């Protein structure tokens, strides 16, 4: 299966958030550092995942991105669909 770079980054970020304790919100910059995803590109991917209802976001002190649902309720296909990835 060939995935675009965007799809790989979306899966990597979602996977990282999935292993965090429930309710943990990470800032985009911290998530970028932890996953090795370029910090200028990650917010665009995270926004797509928020719009798709897979992530939630909070602004301000203590804010960041977190899974909107329990990890076992999010399928890989949901993540790929959110970033418009075609599976080749």
């Amino acid at each position: 299966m060939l995935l675009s770079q965007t799809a790989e980054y979306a899966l990597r970020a979602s996977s990282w958030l999935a292993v965090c304790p429930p309710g943990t919100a990470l800032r985009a910059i911290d998530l970028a550092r932890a996953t090795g995803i370029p910090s200028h590109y990650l917010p665009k991917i995270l926004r797509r995942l928020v719009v798709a209802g897979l992530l939630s976001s909070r602004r301000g002190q203590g804010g960041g991105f977190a899974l909107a649902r329990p990890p076992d309720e999010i399928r890989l296909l949901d993540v790929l669909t959110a970033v418009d990835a075609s599976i080749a």
Side-chain angles (χ1 to χ4, degrees):
M1 176 186 325
L2 298 175
L3 295 176
S4 67
Q5 192 70 60
T6 300
E8 181 194 336
Y9 289 162
L11 290 171
R12 196 183 307 174
S14 299
S15 298
W16 187 269
L17 289 170
V19 297
C20 291
T24 299
L26 293 176
R27 297 180 312 156
I29 189 72
D30 296 330
L31 188 55
R33 286 183 186 133
T35 59
I37 300 170
S39 60
H40 66 279
Y41 190 55
L42 182 59
K44 297 172 188 171
I45 296 169
L46 296 176
R47 180 59 41 205
R48 287 180 175 183
L49 296 172
V50 168
V51 168
L54 301 175
L55 298 184
S56 62
S57 64
R58 291 189 312 244
R59 292 183 179 218
Q61 187 70 17
F65 294 89
L67 293 181
R69 304 189 306 238
D72 60 344
E73 293 180 16
I74 298 174
R75 299 176 306 159
L76 294 177
L77 186 58
D78 296 333
V79 176
L80 295 176
T81 302
V83 296
D84 298 324
S86 62
I87 301 172

